[in-house]
Amino acid sequence: MRSAFFEFNVARSAIFLARGGLDIVNHNIANAREDSSFSRQFIEQRAATPMNLRDGRGMIGTGVHVFGIGQHRNVFLDNKFWNENSTLGRFHMQSQQLRVLEMGLNELRGADAPNGGVSTVSGFGQFFTAMSTLSTHASDNTLRTSVIQSANTLTSFINNMSQTLRRQQIDANNEVSIIVGRINSLGNQIASLNEQITRTELTGSRANDLRDSRTNLINQLSRYVNVSVFETERNADFAAGMFPEPEQRNLSQPHFRVMINGQEFVSGRDVHLLETVARPPGSERNPTDVPGLFDIQFRGGRTFDMYSPMLRGQLRGILDIRDGNNGAHVFATRPPGGATFPSGARNEFNIITHPTITDAFQVTINSPVRDDLNQDGRISLFVNGRIIEVGYDSLVLNYDPDNPLDRDLWYYTLVIHDNDPGFPADFDWGAFPASVGRVEIGRTSDFKGIPHYKNQFNQLVRTFATAMNEGLNRNGQPIPGTVLRDDRDASHTDSGTVYDMFFLGARSGYHSDGRPIYASVNWRSQAFLNFTVNQHLAQNPGDLAVSSNNNEGESHNDVILGFLQVNNFSGLFAEGRLNDFLIAVSGELGVDVRQAMRFEENYIDIVQSVEIQRISVSGVDIGEETADMIRFQHIFQAAGQLINVIDQLYDMTINRLGNF
Amino acid sequence: MRVTNQMMSNRMMLNVNRNMARLNILGNQMATGKRISFPSDDPILAARVLKFRTSLRETEQWQRNVNQGISWMESTDAAFVGVREGIAGLRLEFQRAISAENRLPERQAIINVINEMKAQLGSSMNTSYAGRYVFSGFRTNHPPIFETNQPDLSFALTQTFRFSDIENTTVVQRINDRVTPKLGVNMLKLAYAGNIENLQITISGTPGWNGTITTFDDPSDHISNEDAYNPGPDDIHFIRETGQLILGSNVVEALRNGTMTASYVRNGFSEGELNPMIYFNSFDITNSPVMGNNVTDVAAALYAAFPTGHPIRTTDQWTALENAFGAWAADPTDEGLRTDFQNEFLSFLKTPTFTVGGTADPDISISLTEQRAMGINHFNNRPGDLTDQRLEFEFSFNTRIPINTLARDVLTDKLHADLRELIRFINGLEEMLSDPLALANDIRAQIASGALGPMTEEQIQQKVSDQIAAEHSAIDLAMQNRFNSMLGRIDVHNQGISRQDADLGSRMQRLDMIRQRLVYDRLNFRELISENEDIEYHEAAAFWAMARVAHEASLSTGARILQLTLADFIR
């Protein structure tokens, strides 16, 4: 026998359902314009347990049972989105930063371009134009002054560009620190949400909106760094993203972990925050780096593998820009069977016990790719698959005194000490130094970032200044048609000296032959920044050596014609003429910018299409919600009507039946 | 697949955004007129444009250089007009002068004309362009021909002579009051006459020469000293007053297979003379203490220059110089020892190659410090120095053309000396002639002293006039000989000048071709730049219109799609 007022209870459950449904529709519509992290919610309902009629005529329905509020989400799509979003973040940062770089180094904005301005190409062009004019009247001080003036314009433009690159590296470094701050802040928020979600879901309900917030935070995090997310769940159905029976819900104990770059970042309510540490002097990755660039590590010292090839996101993009040296770092492997140095073979090294210093080793690195390392710094030794980083000092670049510019005969010698704290306590000294298979100073990064362009311009000014000052090419060979420094006649200067036209660093004086004494031993690394015209010549244009024999007369111009040959010499750079080099650098940057922009565009499309798939599952559609609204309205109306009808039935049965 | 409003709006916003970006690019192109503003817009195009821009700038600079060069050569060419006229005029005057009707007065008049022409040639050589003497090689601040008297200048210089420079000619002297022509004199003329010291002569080749030089110092030697023009077969007579070198027969033979080098010091120069700095291997030794008379000063200057002897010149030369100085220092009043030392010093200076370990090294020269210590202002002694003074400009990629012509190739020192000697010769003839009155008085005196038999006054006059006539015919013959040989020589000189003229002409032609080519190059590069870099407006406008249509379409459809929801249709 069913209970009295049973029908009321059925109708009431329908009314509650309709109210609840309308609430959810309301909530969905309210969030319809929110970004894609909102997942549309739905009411979880089923028919209530039916009642058995005892007389065997069957079962009667008892109304509707609302057991929860669910959300439409697809975890697979979330993961896919995060993945692609990280890659997008990398290319977005690269293209943005490279465009800034390109604006600084834009060769199209030359004085000969319609919109005026200066560029390296036009600067060198104007310099050689002035030089060519001078060749037609070698003794004219006005023309000499205009050569020096145009050289001045050129050098200050290049100094300026160097400052721009320097500033951009500093900016990029600040950006690193900002990104690390963002990552940390997101990590804190995720950890705190984890706690709320765990607490909420202990009761068995599902923290839909909190979960959406967390997804949103991870969406943001994936822009900065590549993430992987693991939600471990004792309940297998939960783990699979399905919605189990209400009886099992209180068994849910979600544990949410976020890895960044493959390393644990958030685990439940714990977060392992990152921090930036300024590099101590001497451990620059690139000798031209601004001092004090940031390394990233986890607070407490756990290393963050910031140069992992797997790193993505804006962090990777900005590190590429800040540190990318196009593979120009010093490395060497042991030649088969050891070697006697110098031998001329590239990138070979040897370690021997130091002949004079006790408890120290001497490392020889043959024909290094760079000539501008600091005198002390850090060197990585690759020992049986392990990288040991130790300090070095007394770095000396040795060369053949008869042939000082022949790079094949260059070699570095440096000293490492066996009490260096970099050697681990369990280091196998027995096998050392034979156990070392490879050494590296600095680290490589294939990307062409700011250090790469600094290197290029350093190479430019060094080669150019050597060609103009000495008449030698980059390998120390005479440039055809150019008058060597020793053959220039200084007899028209009071001091009888041939002055260098260009300086590559701050000077402390002159040698007796007129060559400058540079103040800093490490001047080579700063060539680009300190590239200047000899101010003595600017004030005394008459001191410019223009002739190989001044007795020949005032119009003798062979030195100037030789200067013009510097511009014509097709072997000045590996790329060809001076102009070819400049165009190649500019073109290289242009291609890289274009590539980064194209990648960015592609990834915008990819991320967009993943997002559309996500919205397809989770997004709110007003039409659909309106339909639901009307459906629930009808349910409400019909159930209300039912209550009316039942009310009349009871009224009839209870109040009227006896009063016939 | 389920499609929601949000998907549509997202997709639409992306599309609208991209349409706007496209409009932005096209609008930028329309505004600047350029296809690209950054290399990344089209890296390959950017590289091409940069290359063309550089080429254009280089071409424009070469055009400027070509214009400079052509102007320079045009000034040279204008000077050549004067030179050609001068030479042709000289030739005409020589021909007139040969004519037997012309006697001394007429020829003197002709000589005046020739003198004018010589001056004109000199001023042609001093042509300047933009304040630079075009015929001076690299020494464009020095005129090839002195424009003012330079009484204080002193140069040590070296001249070379070849066999063809010998003029076999006739001289006229007045010996024992008789006009005495001397035929078959082998004469060389130094570039200068008078004020010449420290003459040293060598002849290279086989058989060479090992005779003596006799200097005739007396200004009247060339008039009255019969020995002056009678050298022994191995001798060279140097007549200081006229700058003549009279060669003995063996010397002539030696020169047939060799080259003569004459080095000397000239003190003081006058207007119209050659500038040794432009013409010869020379040193400016004006006020050089080493060339002075004071032993102490000489020693001070010499050892200031070479405090420890000379590192490379500790050879026989340095030893010889020290020995010569020692000899003179022991007897400072001896002029001969002083001259010996000076000669030693000058040969020390002029020997271009000092030997290192027995090998001649052309690069080892006297250093600036050493020059200054020795008081030598201008030092010009590199081998090949006199052929190297080719001023070259760059007119195109690796194309350099010399633009100058050298004075010493046009108005050669030989031509100059020939004219100078001719003028001196003709102008000197008048004083060779006897004065009729003096001659008559002389005859009367001889009659009175009984040296001659008695004569009537008519006979005396007849004798005087016969004598004068004989003198005149001797002089006429000598003059005719001179002018005849000069006519031959002027043709030789003219050949050299024509060669230079033709050379200049061909270089001008070459430069003109380069000029024309550069005009086309410039045009081509401009066109190439424009083709590559500039947008075509109608095309860009069409693209822009298309992009705009797409943009509008996306906006209007998007707006309509987004407006509609189911709610719009509920009562």
Side-chain angles (χ1 to χ4, degrees):
Chain A
M1 181 63 198
R2 54 190 188 186
S3 70
F5 307 119
F6 163 75
E7 300 85 351
F8 276 121
N9 281 335
V10 176
R12 190 196 54 149
S13 78
I15 280 177
F16 283 168
L17 168 75
R19 285 287 303 275
L22 281 171
D23 283 345
I24 287 166
V25 167
N26 202 357
H27 186 56
N28 280 347
I29 288 174
N31 287 293
R33 285 270 163 246
E34 217 208 303
D35 75 9
S36 63
S37 67
F38 177 77
S39 320
R40 109 190 116 97
Q41 297 178 5
F42 60 94
I43 195 153
E44 291 177 295
Q45 62 175 84
R46 60 183 160 84
T49 317
M51 205 157 60
N52 227 345
L53 294 180
R54 291 212 179 127
D55 51 10
R57 282 171 294 157
M59 300 179 86
I60 190 157
T62 59
V64 66
H65 179 64
V66 175
F67 62 89
I69 296 165
Q71 62 180 166
H72 289 288
R73 273 193 62 196
N74 184 330
V75 178
F76 167 76
L77 287 176
D78 278 344
N79 272 318
K80 195 165 164 55
F81 177 83
W82 296 328
N83 227 343
E84 306 299 358
N85 200 31
S86 293
T87 312
L88 172 62
R90 175 188 179 189
F91 289 122
H92 170 73
M93 183 54 87
Q94 276 181 4
S95 83
Q96 190 185 329
Q97 291 281 333
L98 281 175
R99 271 198 81 89
V100 176
L101 196 57
E102 191 188 27
M103 259 175 242
L105 311 180
N106 189 1
E107 292 298 335
L108 287 173
R109 182 203 51 200
D112 42 6
N115 50 352
V118 193
S119 71
T120 358
V121 171
S122 74
F124 277 105
Q126 278 156 14
F127 173 70
F128 280 110
T129 300
M131 194 59 97
S132 186
T133 308
L134 177 60
S135 79
T136 67
H137 196 165
S139 60
D140 189 325
N141 269 353
T142 325
L143 297 182
R144 289 180 187 199
T145 309
S146 95
V147 165
I148 300 294
Q149 283 306 330
S150 60
N152 236 335
T153 314
L154 176 67
T155 53
S156 30
F157 177 72
I158 288 181
N159 298 153
N160 221 337
M161 211 156 58
S162 145
Q163 287 294 353
T164 310
L165 284 179
R166 210 181 128 85
R167 265 198 308 274
Q168 207 188 335
Q169 197 176 31
I170 293 172
D171 290 349
N173 194 41
N174 292 339
E175 190 79 34
V176 168
S177 135
I178 290 168
I179 289 175
V180 166
R182 288 292 298 148
I183 291 174
N184 281 346
S185 148
L186 289 167
N188 278 329
Q189 294 178 56
I190 292 169
S192 127
L193 273 173
N194 276 347
E195 195 179 356
Q196 290 180 53
I197 290 168
T198 314
R199 208 182 296 138
T200 312
E201 294 190 350
L202 270 177
T203 63
S205 49
R206 200 172 161 80
N208 289 324
D209 294 306
L210 294 178
R211 279 174 175 272
D212 280 344
S213 298
R214 187 170 66 187
T215 310
N216 189 19
L217 292 174
I218 292 168
N219 288 350
Q220 289 179 44
L221 185 62
S222 70
R223 209 182 301 156
Y224 299 116
V225 65
N226 49 321
V227 296
S228 32
V229 171
F230 303 93
E231 184 159 22
T232 43
E233 174 57 77
R234 229 183 291 178
N235 187 315
D237 288 340
F238 265 67
M242 291 165 65
F243 306 104
E245 293 301 304
E247 299 74 41
Q248 294 171 313
R249 286 224 173 144
N250 54 4
L251 298 177
S252 166
Q253 267 190 333
H255 183 71
F256 194 78
R257 285 165 65 221
V258 180
M259 320 273 275
I260 53 174
N261 190 29
Q263 291 172 284
E264 185 157 276
F265 179 50
V266 180
S267 174
R269 68 186 71 174
D270 298 326
V271 56
H272 306 279
L273 294 179
L274 295 174
E275 65 181 355
T276 51
V277 185
R279 282 178 189 150
S283 49
E284 288 90 0
R285 280 173 66 88
N286 298 291
T288 52
D289 277 351
V290 174
L293 292 185
F294 291 133
D295 274 330
I296 304 171
Q297 62 182 34
F298 286 101
R299 259 177 220 173
R302 185 161 61 99
T303 51
F304 176 75
D305 193 2
M306 59 192 283
Y307 295 112
S308 155
M310 305 308 291
L311 179 69
R312 274 170 300 134
Q314 290 192 3
L315 189 60
R316 170 67 182 269
I318 198 72
L319 289 174
D320 277 347
I321 294 288
R322 192 191 71 173
D323 297 329
N325 56 14
N326 195 24
H329 76 311
V330 173
F331 66 94
T333 46
R334 183 186 292 283
T340 318
F341 283 88
S343 72
R346 256 179 206 287
N347 300 330
E348 293 187 346
F349 83 100
N350 212 353
I351 306 182
I352 53 167
T353 308
H354 200 281
T356 53
I357 307 174
T358 38
D359 300 333
F361 298 94
Q362 178 179 301
V363 183
T364 316
I365 300 173
N366 208 28
S367 61
V369 291
R370 302 189 66 129
D371 53 44
D372 50 5
L373 292 187
N374 291 325
Q375 275 194 304
D376 48 26
R378 302 194 74 72
I379 181 168
S380 308
L381 312 174
F382 290 67
V383 185
N384 301 329
R386 229 169 132 182
I387 302 175
I388 294 166
E389 203 179 60
V390 296
Y392 68 78
D393 54 32
S394 316
L395 180 98
V396 183
L397 179 63
N398 305 273
Y399 49 82
D400 179 1
D402 295 332
N403 215 349
L405 288 168
D406 185 348
R407 286 172 168 243
D408 282 345
L409 299 177
W410 286 3
Y411 60 100
Y412 278 127
T413 49
L414 54 90
V415 177
I416 56 180
H417 299 272
D418 63 4
N419 60 356
D420 192 284
F423 286 112
D426 61 344
F427 189 69
D428 178 11
W429 288 104
F432 190 79
S435 56
V436 182
R438 176 183 168 88
V439 293
E440 280 188 9
I441 299 176
R443 284 185 71 179
T444 181
S445 160
D446 288 340
F447 192 79
K448 291 171 191 160
I450 293 166
H452 170 68
Y453 289 98
K454 281 185 173 175
N455 286 347
Q456 293 282 55
F457 279 99
N458 272 339
Q459 192 197 338
L460 169 72
V461 298
R462 277 178 216 146
T463 310
F464 177 68
T466 309
M468 297 300 285
N469 293 343
E470 308 279 348
L472 301 174
N473 72 2
R474 68 206 147 96
N475 294 325
Q477 307 301 321
I479 295 170
T482 304
V483 181
L484 297 183
R485 181 197 172 91
D486 289 344
D487 294 336
R488 294 176 194 166
D489 190 348
S491 57
H492 47 75
T493 65
D494 290 338
S495 46
T497 358
V498 173
Y499 284 97
D500 280 359
M501 194 185 292
F502 293 105
F503 291 139
L504 291 167
R507 272 157 306 109
S508 59
Y510 293 102
H511 291 292
S512 57
D513 63 357
R515 287 182 166 85
I517 302 168
Y518 289 108
S520 156
V521 185
N522 197 20
W523 59 271
R524 281 171 173 275
S525 64
Q526 294 298 317
F528 181 22
L529 192 63
N530 295 320
F531 181 50
T532 51
V533 180
N534 186 346
Q535 288 308 312
H536 176 82
L537 290 179
Q539 285 142 19
N540 309 288
D543 268 358
L544 186 67
V546 298
S547 159
S548 64
N549 179 4
N550 201 46
N551 285 318
E552 296 270 15
E554 60 156 19
S555 294
H556 193 222
N557 58 354
D558 62 342
V559 172
I560 297 175
L561 291 177
F563 285 152
L564 293 178
Q565 279 306 108
V566 170
N567 193 23
N568 292 342
F569 180 47
S570 59
L572 194 62
F573 292 95
E575 289 81 357
R577 293 171 62 193
L578 175 63
N579 207 40
D580 297 331
F581 178 82
L582 298 174
I583 292 173
V585 171
S586 154
E588 172 178 49
L589 180 55
V591 168
D592 284 356
V593 172
R594 196 164 175 72
Q595 193 187 11
M597 280 164 57
R598 198 164 280 162
F599 276 139
E600 189 191 3
E601 280 297 302
N602 287 348
Y603 273 92
I604 285 177
D605 277 349
I606 292 172
V607 166
Q608 174 90 9
S609 78
V610 176
E611 199 169 338
I612 283 198
Q613 289 180 39
R614 239 162 70 120
I615 296 171
S616 175
V617 174
S618 308
V620 180
D621 182 65
I622 302 288
E624 197 177 60
E625 298 303 325
T626 316
D628 273 355
M629 178 180 81
I630 292 182
R631 207 148 45 86
F632 286 122
Q633 191 188 9
H634 285 166
I635 290 171
F636 192 95
Q637 284 171 348
Q641 201 59 45
L642 262 175
I643 284 176
N644 252 348
V645 170
I646 294 164
D647 180 47
Q648 282 172 17
L649 286 182
Y650 279 111
D651 185 44
M652 178 66 73
T653 325
I654 296 167
N655 295 332
R656 305 266 180 91
L657 270 186
N659 297 345
F660 282 106
Chain B
M1 184 171 153
R2 186 172 166 267
V3 178
T4 70
N5 307 87
Q6 210 182 339
M7 279 159 75
M8 288 199 294
S9 70
N10 273 17
R11 178 66 86 185
M12 196 201 90
M13 284 320 292
L14 186 70
N15 287 336
V16 166
N17 215 312
R18 284 191 174 159
N19 284 333
M20 300 249 293
R22 172 109 185 101
L23 273 176
N24 182 35
I25 290 167
L26 287 169
N28 212 10
Q29 286 187 352
M30 301 269 278
T32 57
K34 302 286 167 202
R35 243 182 263 248
I36 50 173
S37 1
F38 286 97
S40 59
D41 293 341
D42 188 340
I44 291 167
L45 183 64
R48 211 183 301 149
V49 165
L50 284 174
K51 264 196 172 83
F52 289 146
R53 280 188 195 167
T54 306
S55 303
L56 178 64
R57 185 175 24 235
E58 281 172 351
T59 308
E60 285 172 348
Q61 177 58 30
W62 286 329
Q63 282 187 312
R64 282 193 284 275
N65 289 3
V66 164
N67 289 341
Q68 280 279 324
I70 284 183
S71 303
W72 179 291
M73 286 176 159
E74 276 168 356
S75 316
T76 313
D77 198 43
F80 260 105
V81 173
V83 172
R84 275 194 302 264
E85 277 173 6
I87 295 291
L90 279 175
R91 201 170 188 285
L92 213 63
E93 295 302 324
F94 290 159
Q95 279 171 335
R96 265 176 61 202
I98 290 167
S99 158
E101 294 92 70
N102 286 321
R103 311 298 299 272
L104 185 59
E106 290 85 359
R107 284 175 172 150
Q108 277 174 334
I110 289 173
I111 273 304
N112 281 341
V113 176
I114 289 175
N115 205 8
E116 283 303 310
M117 285 173 171
K118 176 170 164 276
Q120 188 198 324
L121 287 178
S123 73
S124 294
M125 288 302 97
N126 282 355
T127 300
S128 64
Y129 168 70
R132 304 160 83 194
Y133 293 102
V134 294
F135 285 102
S136 292
F138 293 130
R139 303 185 182 95
T140 46
N141 46 345
H142 296 284
I145 311 290
F146 281 116
E147 291 171 325
T148 53
N149 288 333
Q150 304 279 351
D152 299 329
L153 275 187
S154 234
F155 270 84
L157 59 99
T158 305
Q159 263 194 282
T160 51
F161 294 98
R162 281 167 312 179
F163 181 73
S164 60
D165 295 324
I166 300 173
E167 187 182 5
N168 187 297
T169 188
T170 308
V171 297
V172 178
Q173 285 186 292
R174 188 172 175 84
I175 294 159
N176 301 328
D177 286 338
R178 284 267 188 264
V179 171
T180 317
K182 173 143 183 58
L183 295 143
V185 173
N186 289 311
M187 185 195 288
L188 286 175
K189 299 143 213 165
L190 296 181
Y192 304 95
N195 294 335
I196 288 171
E197 281 166 14
N198 301 83
L199 177 70
Q200 292 170 286
I201 289 175
T202 56
I203 298 180
S204 69
T206 331
W209 171 71
N210 199 15
T212 53
I213 307 173
T214 312
T215 306
F216 290 81
D217 274 330
D218 194 321
S220 60
D221 273 348
H222 69 284
I223 298 171
S224 53
N225 188 342
E226 196 176 358
D227 295 343
Y229 292 102
N230 272 326
D234 283 322
D235 290 350
I236 296 177
H237 285 182
F238 166 49
I239 301 165
R240 201 191 301 269
E241 182 69 11
T242 59
Q244 291 165 332
L245 296 175
I246 309 303
L247 311 181
S249 53
N250 288 349
V251 183
V252 174
E253 282 313 303
L255 203 50
R256 196 185 288 278
N257 295 317
T259 311
M260 178 195 277
T261 312
S263 309
Y264 51 93
V265 172
R266 178 88 197 290
N267 297 311
F269 294 85
S270 48
E271 181 188 344
E273 285 189 321
L274 305 181
N275 188 341
M277 195 186 280
I278 306 297
Y279 272 86
F280 306 111
N281 267 339
S282 57
F283 321 104
D284 180 356
I285 53 169
T286 311
N287 301 327
S288 167
V290 187
M291 292 299 286
N293 296 331
N294 188 317
V295 177
T296 326
D297 292 349
V298 172
L302 198 59
Y303 286 99
F306 306 108
T308 55
H310 193 282
I312 295 154
R313 286 165 216 131
T314 44
T315 52
D316 295 346
Q317 274 196 349
W318 176 251
T319 318
L321 183 63
E322 279 200 309
N323 288 345
F325 179 68
W328 175 40
D331 189 1
T333 52
D334 190 320
E335 290 283 312
L337 289 177
R338 177 168 67 84
T339 311
D340 285 350
F341 162 71
Q342 288 179 345
N343 286 347
E344 202 65 58
F345 173 65
L346 289 172
S347 76
F348 178 80
L349 283 189
K350 82 175 169 27
T351 306
T353 53
F354 302 101
T355 55
V356 187
T359 317
D361 183 348
D363 280 343
I364 298 171
S365 185
I366 305 241
S367 78
L368 175 81
T369 330
E370 291 163 352
Q371 283 177 45
R372 287 196 175 150
M374 292 185 290
I376 294 169
N377 302 326
H378 155 83
F379 186 87
N380 175 17
N381 198 29
R382 284 211 322 182
D385 184 49
L386 291 183
T387 53
D388 275 349
Q389 294 238 326
R390 289 290 183 194
L391 180 55
E392 292 185 339
F393 292 176
E394 198 180 52
F395 294 121
S396 191
F397 186 69
N398 277 343
T399 303
R400 287 170 184 173
I401 298 174
I403 56 149
N404 62 343
T405 305
L406 301 176
R408 60 165 183 261
D409 292 335
V410 183
L411 174 60
T412 60
D413 56 319
K414 306 298 184 327
L415 172 57
H416 189 267
D418 277 348
L419 293 177
R420 189 201 69 225
E421 167 61 20
L422 179 70
I423 291 162
R424 185 206 62 77
F425 172 71
I426 304 289
N427 283 341
L429 285 178
E430 195 160 8
E431 61 179 300
M432 301 280 183
L433 292 173
S434 307
D435 176 9
L437 284 178
L439 200 56
N441 287 339
D442 189 37
I443 291 170
R444 286 190 196 98
Q446 284 187 36
I447 293 168
S449 69
L452 284 172
M455 284 184 207
T456 65
E457 189 59 23
E458 264 180 23
Q459 281 174 320
I460 292 172
Q461 290 303 330
Q462 183 61 42
K463 192 172 173 58
V464 166
S465 99
D466 286 353
Q467 172 86 15
I468 299 283
E471 287 185 354
H472 264 293
S473 65
I475 288 173
D476 281 349
L477 186 68
M479 285 195 292
Q480 226 167 329
N481 274 354
R482 270 286 171 108
F483 279 116
N484 248 328
S485 78
M486 281 312 291
L487 194 62
R489 291 177 73 79
I490 198 87
D491 285 343
V492 174
H493 290 309
N494 196 22
Q495 279 171 19
I497 292 169
S498 301
R499 226 180 2 254
Q500 293 297 322
D501 199 6
D503 178 52
L504 175 71
S506 71
R507 278 183 287 141
M508 282 179 84
Q509 211 168 11
R510 216 176 133 198
L511 208 53
D512 203 52
M513 278 161 65
I514 292 178
R515 168 157 70 181
Q516 285 171 25
R517 203 198 64 217
L518 288 176
V519 168
Y520 284 116
D521 280 359
R522 179 157 179 266
L523 207 64
N524 282 345
F525 285 129
R526 283 181 160 265
E527 273 177 16
L528 280 171
I529 289 173
S530 176
E531 265 172 37
N532 280 288
E533 188 180 40
D534 294 350
I535 54 160
E536 289 198 41
Y537 269 96
H538 57 270
E539 195 183 88
F543 282 143
W544 191 80
M546 272 152 62
R548 205 171 141 265
V549 166
H551 184 54
E552 277 178 12
S554 70
L555 281 179
S556 73
T557 51
R560 270 178 217 179
I561 289 170
L562 291 184
Q563 271 175 8
L564 286 185
T565 66
L566 186 57
D568 294 320
F569 300 95
I570 297 169
R571 284 170 281 120

